[in-house]
Amino acid sequence: MTQTRPAGRGTGSAPYGTRPRPRTNPNQTKPTTYVNVGQMDYTLYLVVIILVCIGVIMVFSASYVTASHRLVFRQDAFFFLRRNGLMAIGGFVVMNLVANVYYGWYRPWSRMLYIVTMVLVLFVVFFGIEAGGGQRWLGIPGTEINFQPSEIAKPAIIFMMAWMVSQYENGLRKWSGFFIFCAVAGAMSVLVIITGFSTGLIVTVTAFGMIFIASPHILRFVMVGVAGVAGFAGIIMFGAGFRAARIEAWLDPFAFHDTVGFQTVQSLYAIASGGLFGQGIGNSRQATFVPEAHNDIIFAIIAEELGLIGAGFIMLLFVIFIWRGIKIALNAPDTFSSMVAIGIVLTIAFQAIINIAVVTNTIPNTGVTLPFISYGGTSLIVSMALAGVLLNISRYSKDRSGAPPT
């Protein structure tokens, strides 16, 4: 017996049986599309698990020497391993729970998630905890747990954009609707950029990437996009001195090897010493020199310890993730789920590309974690939760026959 569920906008009761009677939405003229409820995409599931396991191993390998010699980490070599392992287990639980929650349940809560996230990011601006040179964290009262609301902004903007596209299918056909979409995306982007430029850039690219994919007027989007890129370029070049310095260090990192170019130079040394097969896990020479070796620059340690083969394998896993995500989006049963899937792929793909490009000095240095691999509790759990949503959408496929499945 095949289970079926209508791909409606809500989470109403789904008919079960061999030949359910089509139900219609009062706002639609055609019967609701029927979808098959099947197994999740286990290829995608396996990719995520492999990436997380590699991340736990590499975070320990990149951090154990530093952690064992610094009082701030209690001279405990397993400091980061314990914390990252617990976060990975928590992320695994969250991913599996989310993968079994019907994606349509999130649709009516999209606006609430967007508003709550905006409020949390505003709290960071005024009451945030400063650490590592940035004010990006909020503390949970009564505990020692801190989290980054800017990470929650990723799913918030994905669900909000998907809800708007599905709710106002013709909204992007008019200039007025187009500007409303851009205003909603821009409001979240600006707030997140205030707390952290790198995460704000990812939120911006995700939001406007979803608008671009949904928009029937490419030229209109390009015109506004060019203006936005010019604005970003102006902020980088003329807004803050340290960002302009990073541009100069990107062009010639060795000229700034003892200041803003230090991290890039050490990363390049690590990659160069890795060779084809690497130095072996735990044998990194640069892990004690590279700042944030277990976090933003972990790909350099991967290249040093696992070589070109290991680094290439990591990139291949991300390519498979993107491929499966795009396939899930194309086969999604409705506009909302398709746009959510596209948004998740854009977020993970762009974040991975930025991280690897920074480490290899392809683009100017900016702090972005490598999804599923870098140390960072909020980032890891949010990434695995997004993967869980994608896995849930993969359980549903269009019934292309035009009739209820038998």
Side-chain angles (χ1 to χ4, degrees):
M1 182 179 295
T2 303
Q3 294 183 353
T4 61
R5 178 175 289 182
R9 294 191 296 176
T11 58
S13 59
Y16 292 91
T18 55
R19 285 186 178 275
R21 180 176 297 176
R23 297 173 62 187
T24 58
N25 188 316
N27 297 323
Q28 296 176 335
T29 58
K30 296 181 180 180
T32 303
T33 304
Y34 278 85
V35 294
N36 295 321
V37 182
Q39 293 183 331
M40 69 175 69
D41 189 325
Y42 282 104
T43 300
L44 180 69
Y45 186 84
L46 183 61
V47 165
V48 174
I49 295 300
I50 293 174
L51 284 170
V52 173
C53 289
I54 291 174
V56 171
I57 295 170
M58 294 310 303
V59 164
F60 174 63
S61 181
S63 65
Y64 78 95
V65 174
T66 301
S68 63
H69 287 84
R70 296 186 63 180
L71 290 175
V72 69
F73 304 127
R74 305 175 190 137
Q75 294 182 322
D76 181 4
F78 299 96
F79 181 87
F80 290 103
L81 175 63
R82 249 192 322 271
R83 292 195 170 198
N84 202 47
L86 287 174
M87 290 298 177
I89 293 171
F92 178 78
V93 173
V94 170
M95 181 176 71
N96 281 275
L97 287 175
V98 172
N100 288 283
V101 175
Y102 176 51
Y103 68 84
W105 184 87
Y106 302 107
R107 191 179 190 279
W109 297 97
S110 300
R111 289 167 291 178
M112 181 62 68
L113 178 61
Y114 177 88
I115 294 170
V116 169
T117 303
M118 292 276 282
V119 173
L120 289 175
V121 175
L122 275 173
F123 278 177
V124 171
V125 174
F126 295 103
F127 311 108
I129 298 171
E130 186 173 349
Q135 187 172 308
R136 306 184 183 98
W137 288 266
L138 284 180
I140 298 178
T143 70
E144 296 181 357
I145 300 174
N146 299 330
F147 71 100
Q148 287 184 268
S150 59
E151 291 291 334
I152 304 174
K154 297 173 185 176
I157 200 66
I158 289 171
F159 284 114
M160 187 61 184
M161 289 293 102
W163 177 83
M164 291 182 68
V165 171
S166 61
Q167 182 73 15
Y168 307 104
E169 295 185 359
N170 296 320
L172 289 171
R173 296 184 180 277
K174 302 177 181 179
W175 272 106
S176 57
F178 180 78
F179 281 121
I180 291 174
F181 273 74
C182 291
V184 172
M188 178 69 79
S189 299
V190 169
L191 270 181
V192 177
I193 286 173
I194 292 174
T195 63
F197 180 82
S198 305
T199 307
L201 182 61
I202 294 171
V203 170
T204 302
V205 170
T206 299
F208 286 92
M210 293 175 71
I211 295 174
F212 172 76
I213 291 170
S215 176
H217 301 291
I218 304 300
L219 182 60
R220 180 183 299 174
F221 182 90
V222 170
M223 292 169 59
V224 176
V226 169
V229 170
F232 263 112
I235 293 174
I236 294 173
M237 295 298 295
F238 306 107
F242 76 94
R243 292 198 181 104
R246 286 188 176 185
I247 296 293
E248 295 178 359
W250 168 56
L251 296 174
D252 187 4
F254 291 92
F256 301 87
H257 66 91
D258 56 346
T259 54
V260 291
F262 179 80
Q263 191 177 51
T264 300
V265 169
Q266 297 302 321
S267 298
L268 294 176
Y269 282 151
I271 294 171
S273 63
L276 185 60
F277 299 104
Q279 304 290 334
I281 294 178
N283 295 324
S284 171
R285 301 168 184 171
Q286 298 301 122
T288 56
F289 296 100
V290 180
E292 301 294 333
H294 58 286
N295 200 341
D296 300 342
I297 311 297
I298 195 168
F299 188 77
I301 306 304
I302 292 173
E304 182 183 15
E305 295 190 350
L306 304 181
L308 179 62
I309 300 297
F313 179 66
I314 298 295
M315 290 189 285
L316 176 62
L317 289 174
F318 280 112
V319 169
I320 295 173
F321 183 98
I322 295 168
W323 162 53
R324 300 306 296 179
I326 292 174
K327 184 176 180 180
I328 291 168
L330 292 175
N331 290 326
D334 52 52
T335 302
F336 177 75
S337 59
S338 180
M339 292 305 300
V340 168
I342 283 294
I344 293 172
V345 171
L346 284 172
T347 297
I348 299 298
F350 187 69
Q351 190 169 335
I353 290 170
I354 288 292
N355 181 276
I356 295 172
V358 165
V359 169
T360 56
N361 200 40
T362 306
I363 63 172
N365 196 323
T366 184
V368 174
T369 57
L370 188 60
F372 308 114
I373 293 180
S374 293
Y375 176 80
T378 311
S379 176
L380 179 59
I381 290 178
V382 168
S383 296
M384 295 187 75
L386 289 175
V389 175
L390 198 57
L391 288 168
N392 182 260
I393 295 173
S394 73
R395 297 183 61 208
Y396 302 87
S397 62
K398 294 177 183 177
D399 175 36
R400 303 183 186 280
S401 65
T406 58

